[in-house]
Amino acid sequence: MEGALTARDRVGIQDFVLLDTHTSETAFLGNLKKRFSEDLIYTYIGTLLVSVNPYKELDIYSKKQMDIYMGVNFFELPPHIYALADNAYHTMMTEANNHFILISGESGAGKTEASKKILQYYAVSCPSTTLLDSVRDRMLVSNPVRFVNSGPGLVSSSLRLIDHMFTLQGDAVGGHILSYLLEKSRVVHQNHGERNFHIFYQLVEGGEEDLLHQLGLESNCQHYSYLVQDECANVTSINDKNDWKTVRNALSVIDFDESDIQHLFGIIASVLHLGNVQFEADSKGYATLNKNTELRWVSTVSLVIPWTLRMPKPWRPQSAYTLLTLLDHAIYARNALAKAIYGRTFTWLVNKINDSMENKEPSRKTVIGLLDIYGFEVFYVNSFEQFCINYCNEKLQQLFIQLTLKSEQEEYEAEGIGWEPVQFFNNKIICDLVEEKHRGIISVLDEECLRPGEATDFTFLEKLEEKMGSHPHFITHKFSDKKTRKTLDRGNFRLLHYAGEVTYGVVGKGSHGLSLLWTIIHVYLTDKLLGDSTTDPRPSSLLGLTDILMSKEPWYVRCLKSNESKQPGRFDDVLVRHQVKYLGLMEHLRVRRAGFAYRRRYELFLQRYKPLCPATWPHWRGVAAEGVEALVQHLGYLPDEYKMGRTKIFIRHPRTLFATEDAFEVCKHKLGKATKIETCWRGVQARKEKERRQWAVKVIKKFIKGYMTRGEAKTTDNSEYLAFVRQNYLNRLKDNLPKTVLDKSSWLTPPPVLTEASAILRQLHMRLMVTRYVRGITAQQKAQLQLKGITSVIFKGKKDSYPQSVSQPFVDTRISEQDINMKVLQIIRNERIKYSIPVVKYDRNGFKARPRQLILTQTAAYVVDEAKIKQKALEHVGDLVIQCDHLFEVLTKLSVVANKQSAINVVQGR
């Protein structure tokens, strides 16, 4: 929704709740007109959808459009009938509860079209199976069969609730129609610019010749008085012949057999014939028939009416015309009979359709009801039926405001926002004026019709004046001022409805008794509107309907006519203003704007406006609510301009949102420039990547070909492959060369083509390691190696412990001079000590172990015991048996000092 705010000066605002001057009717109409001029026929008031009939085809109902709106947040996309249908469906699925969509407006405002669009949307969006397809097909095709109250651009003052049943998985499994307040008066009388129900014209203009002959009809609407009252029999935008074919096909789809169809057409024909029955007054004022032709056709056709449609005895043609002898009463009776026949046909038809769409699934179901009702209206002459319709709208307006307030209050409470009670006009006072027991208009009419003695129009009016003469919403000629009396006849009364004043006629022309029309219909009204709430809670009564609606979650579609002449592109301000008033749109807007104009979930608000705050751009890693708080603080929102709910931010004034949106638009342009640069750079990088990949493909192809021909004669391909193999091997070898001269096994195995070169390289590398090793040896290490070399000559291969012992480093001496007795040092003071070590000497006799010190000098080896030298080892070598821990070290040192390496003899195993 916010996306369209930048163009609000040109295309208006998508949600009336965001109108800054929301109490101005002029501003409301201006926004509606601005959007209409751009072919934007849908506008929201919160979740209420306002639809203005454009009277032309718009490319906004395609399958592609349906896909766009499936599963999308209600305010995420521009207003559309699909958005409302989708959100009602998904809310039903999520919450597993029942919903209804109330579609209201004048005839020609597009109510039927709105219903059809919703049905089509569900037909596409619901899961598809053979059973479900059959159910959906019957729902869709049943719409043209509802000819009894259909008529695009025509008066269709009925109230109809169509329940569409879904499983908890969202599958459509059936439907049911409840009908209220069929406008039967349209059968016999049409207001200016209207024509009768479509089915009459479709039968006459499109019916087959044999069928028309059988029914006694002619293929010319001008021959039937019920069809030509306002010279609207032929309308250029309606093709009755094509519509007749559609109806015939639809009847077959919803299981009407040929007998039912014949009965149905016979009844329709009987109504047309009945309308042509004419009376003349004789000298005494009694009504007589001038000819019996049409009446005979009525009698003939009535023979095919099935028993379910037959009229009760008092209304058979013969009794009706013999009992009522006055001319005006005879005309009343004729018209009443026509309307009664048509009304019963309507009931029968609805029952047949319900049977065909009956739900066969035993599992639990949820429901979305489509409530189609003609809106409040004021005509030049307002009949009793118009009184019923306006009263019905009065009740629904009361329900509408109650549910809207309830919804608003529940959202505020759910979000933890303080709720302030909203003052609004409560039309309960008007509803009570009509329906209150023993005091209301219905009760007075009921009493007058049933009381003994002769009741007349004037006694009825006098009774009304007596009961409610002081009521502020009831006016008659007797209780009005001089100015009002000029516009109010003595036989009328006026009600001040919520949508305006309406004058209703009570006195019939030339009537001495209570007007026949009021007398006949008062029972119908009591049954259909009020029912008996104590003993007979009929679901078909208006009270029953109210209970049904109160148990469901509401969605609203308000349809408006843009002009009376049905011309595309024309917006009649006066006409639209009138509809806005009686549909209660300003009242609904005022209720929605009682607190905060705008509310949105934290995640969505932050996602859109996060570029406006450095702390939230480009990513906010914390809790969304905290990010929104940081954002609005950065934008400088004042404390009274917003509230933080549990899941949503509430903004009080539209101007606050507009300022935020304008700032976002400026920021978006800057981001757009940066994005453009980024896009160009990514394009350059992508082109480079493409070139690199193309090069890689060529190299890989050549590599594979070289591999496959590597053993063949030298070619360009295999030469490059072999060069790659060589280079790759050398690169790997470079990273895996042996680190020491002792490492003899870690040389990488070469490919066959490099076997010889690998051997040469290995030899060179070994020489290099040796050279580097030698150059790095110290004098001390060199001396060690020389000693180790002597040790190797003496012991290698001769002593089992050689591998372990040779790795141990030799030391210069094992005994320091401080540990040698001073007397010994004096004795050998002229000789330089080369090495000394503790040893154990064993005696020749008994091999007694005696601890001694072995000292090697330049000239001799001494075995020392405390203060004296026991033996001079080099002179008496054969006499000594000595044990020491560092044998290899001692003998190596001894051989070096004595310079007699060959004199040491190693015996294996000893």
Side-chain angles (χ1 to χ4, degrees), residues 390-539:
N390 289 347
Y391 164 66
C392 180
N393 275 275
E394 198 79 57
K395 289 291 288 184
L396 289 177
Q397 173 69 7
Q398 184 183 33
L399 175 67
F400 176 53
I401 294 298
Q402 287 175 352
L403 291 177
T404 302
L405 281 173
K406 177 174 175 286
S407 174
E408 282 289 286
Q409 184 173 354
E410 285 177 349
E411 180 172 20
Y412 278 57
E413 291 175 351
E415 291 293 326
I417 305 294
W419 170 257
E420 299 177 3
V422 179
Q423 298 300 321
F424 66 97
F425 172 65
N426 190 342
N427 59 345
K428 182 178 184 298
I429 187 174
I430 304 173
C431 296
D432 289 344
L433 177 64
V434 176
E435 68 188 17
E436 190 176 8
K437 287 188 176 182
H438 309 302
R439 292 183 55 83
I441 295 174
I442 304 300
S443 293
V444 174
L445 177 60
D446 194 56
E447 290 174 9
E448 286 299 293
C449 290
L450 299 178
R451 74 179 177 86
E454 183 179 359
T456 68
D457 298 329
F458 287 105
T459 60
F460 172 50
L461 190 57
E462 288 172 359
K463 196 71 172 180
L464 290 178
E465 291 174 335
E466 177 186 336
K467 291 276 190 178
M468 55 201 68
S470 60
H471 197 287
H473 291 267
F474 178 84
I475 302 175
T476 64
H477 188 276
K478 178 180 179 180
F479 291 101
S480 59
D481 55 33
K482 183 180 294 186
K483 182 179 179 180
T484 305
R485 287 175 182 174
K486 295 179 180 179
T487 61
L488 189 60
D489 293 339
R490 293 182 181 276
N492 298 338
F493 68 88
R494 182 172 295 166
L495 293 186
L496 304 183
H497 289 279
Y498 79 93
E501 299 180 352
V502 183
T503 302
Y504 299 102
V506 174
V507 179
K509 183 179 178 182
S511 174
H512 300 289
L514 184 58
S515 177
L516 183 62
L517 180 60
W518 289 75
T519 305
I520 294 170
I521 295 182
H522 91 280
V523 177
Y524 169 80
L525 177 72
T526 304
D527 177 58
K528 280 295 184 183
L529 265 62
L530 301 181
D532 186 344
S533 58
T534 58
T535 60
D536 183 19
R538 301 168 188 168

Side-chain angles (χ1 to χ4, degrees), residues 717-771:
D717 292 332
N718 62 18
S719 295
E720 292 186 5
Y721 168 74
L722 294 175
F724 168 78
V725 170
R726 294 187 187 100
Q727 182 179 359
N728 182 60
Y729 175 73
L730 293 176
N731 286 334
R732 289 188 295 113
L733 184 62
K734 178 186 69 174
D735 298 329
N736 295 278
L737 289 170
K739 299 296 187 295
T740 67
V741 292
L742 299 178
D743 186 356
K744 307 292 185 179
S745 60
S746 62
W747 191 264
L748 289 179
T749 303
V753 71
L754 285 175
T755 302
E756 184 179 353
S758 175
I760 296 173
L761 288 173
R762 186 172 189 178
Q763 187 177 17
L764 290 174
H765 180 65
M766 182 59 69
R767 289 180 181 177
L768 177 62
M769 286 194 298
V770 170
T771 301

Side-chain angles (χ1 to χ4, degrees), residues 590-791:
R590 199 167 68 82
V591 170
R592 286 302 305 264
R593 274 296 301 273
F596 296 86
Y598 172 90
R599 64 210 68 176
R600 194 67 79 245
R601 293 187 66 85
Y602 290 132
E603 295 81 3
L604 298 176
F605 187 85
L606 186 62
Q607 178 63 30
R608 181 168 185 81
Y609 296 118
K610 64 181 180 180
L612 299 179
C613 175
T616 57
W617 178 258
H619 301 291
W620 174 260
R621 302 297 183 186
V623 179
E626 296 174 359
V628 171
E629 184 67 52
L631 173 59
V632 299
Q633 290 294 331
H634 178 78
L635 294 174
Y637 281 21
L638 298 177
D640 65 334
E641 289 183 325
Y642 76 101
K643 291 290 183 184
M644 300 290 286
R646 292 188 176 91
T647 65
K648 297 177 182 179
I649 179 174
F650 289 71
I651 297 178
R652 190 175 300 279
H653 306 296
R655 57 179 176 271
T656 306
L657 177 65
F658 294 162
T660 304
E661 185 63 27
D662 292 341
F664 172 71
E665 196 63 23
V666 173
C667 178
K668 188 170 68 173
H669 285 304
K670 294 178 180 178
L671 291 175
K673 293 177 181 178
T675 303
K676 189 172 183 180
I677 295 173
E678 290 177 358
T679 302
C680 293
W681 175 246
R682 284 196 297 268
V684 172
Q685 295 297 100
R687 287 189 289 274
K688 287 184 178 180
E689 178 66 14
K690 180 183 177 182
E691 294 174 357
R692 192 178 72 83
R693 288 173 179 253
Q694 289 176 340
W695 171 83
V697 169
K698 292 180 182 178
V699 171
I700 292 171
K701 283 183 177 179
K702 185 177 289 188
F703 180 89
I704 294 173
K705 189 174 182 181
Y707 171 79
M708 296 173 67
T709 60
R710 64 189 183 281
E712 300 177 3
K714 185 176 181 180
T715 63
T716 303
D717 292 332
N718 62 18
S719 295
E720 292 186 5
Y721 168 74
L722 294 175
F724 168 78
V725 170
R726 294 187 187 100
Q727 182 179 359
N728 182 60
Y729 175 73
L730 293 176
N731 286 334
R732 289 188 295 113
L733 184 62
K734 178 186 69 174
D735 298 329
N736 295 278
L737 289 170
K739 299 296 187 295
T740 67
V741 292
L742 299 178
D743 186 356
K744 307 292 185 179
S745 60
S746 62
W747 191 264
L748 289 179
T749 303
V753 71
L754 285 175
T755 302
E756 184 179 353
S758 175
I760 296 173
L761 288 173
R762 186 172 189 178
Q763 187 177 17
L764 290 174
H765 180 65
M766 182 59 69
R767 289 180 181 177
L768 177 62
M769 286 194 298
V770 170
T771 301
R772 288 177 177 173
Y773 182 79
V774 171
R775 288 176 180 175
I777 292 177
T778 65
Q780 185 180 3
Q781 290 174 327
K782 185 175 181 180
Q784 280 279 332
L785 287 174
Q786 288 174 341
L787 288 175
K788 295 287 185 180
I790 294 171
T791 304

Side-chain angles (χ1 to χ4, degrees), residues 279-387:
F279 300 97
E280 292 180 356
D282 61 13
S283 57
K284 296 182 180 181
Y286 292 116
T288 61
L289 286 172
N290 56 1
K291 57 180 180 179
N292 296 328
T293 305
E294 297 295 343
L295 191 58
R296 282 198 300 272
W297 272 112
V298 172
S299 301
T300 302
V301 173
S302 68
L303 294 176
V304 301
I305 299 177
W307 67 271
T308 55
L309 295 180
R310 288 191 181 275
M311 305 302 299
K313 280 189 176 182
W315 295 109
R316 297 280 178 86
Q318 294 84 349
S319 60
Y321 295 113
T322 55
L323 289 174
L324 301 171
T325 55
L326 294 177
L327 182 60
D328 56 343
H329 280 195
I331 295 173
Y332 269 130
R334 179 199 65 189
N335 292 341
L337 177 60
K339 290 188 292 182
I341 291 173
Y342 198 79
R344 286 180 175 251
T345 304
F346 172 77
T347 302
W348 173 79
L349 180 63
V350 168
N351 291 336
K352 288 288 290 184
I353 293 174
N354 285 338
D355 289 343
S356 97
M357 296 192 299
E358 182 183 0
N359 168 53
K360 304 295 194 301
E361 290 287 328
S363 59
R364 181 187 170 192
K365 294 164 290 297
T366 52
V367 170
I368 295 180
L370 288 182
L371 182 61
D372 183 351
I373 178 174
Y374 181 73
F376 186 94
E377 185 57 291
V378 182
F379 295 111
Y380 180 74
V381 177
N382 297 286
S383 67
F384 186 74
E385 286 186 72
Q386 192 61 43
F387 169 80

Side-chain angles (χ1 to χ4, degrees), residues 864-882:
V864 177
D865 178 17
E866 297 181 354
K868 58 182 179 180
I869 299 174
K870 290 294 185 178
Q871 288 179 307
K872 195 173 182 179
L874 293 180
E875 295 179 355
H876 304 282
V877 67
D879 296 333
L880 292 174
V881 178
I882 297 174

Side-chain angles (χ1 to χ4, degrees), residues 782-795 810-812 832-835 856-861 874 887-904:
K782 185 175 181 180
Q784 280 279 332
L785 287 174
Q786 288 174 341
L787 288 175
K788 295 287 185 180
I790 294 171
T791 304
S792 178
V793 171
I794 298 172
F795 295 104
F810 293 167
V811 298
D812 291 338
R832 185 178 177 184
I833 298 176
K834 293 291 188 179
Y835 178 77
L856 302 181
T857 66
Q858 290 178 336
T859 59
L874 293 180
L887 180 62
F888 286 16
E889 180 182 279
V890 171
L891 292 178
T892 301
K893 294 276 189 177
L894 181 61
S895 67
V896 171
V897 172
N899 196 20
K900 292 182 179 180
Q901 299 174 11
S902 59
I904 297 174

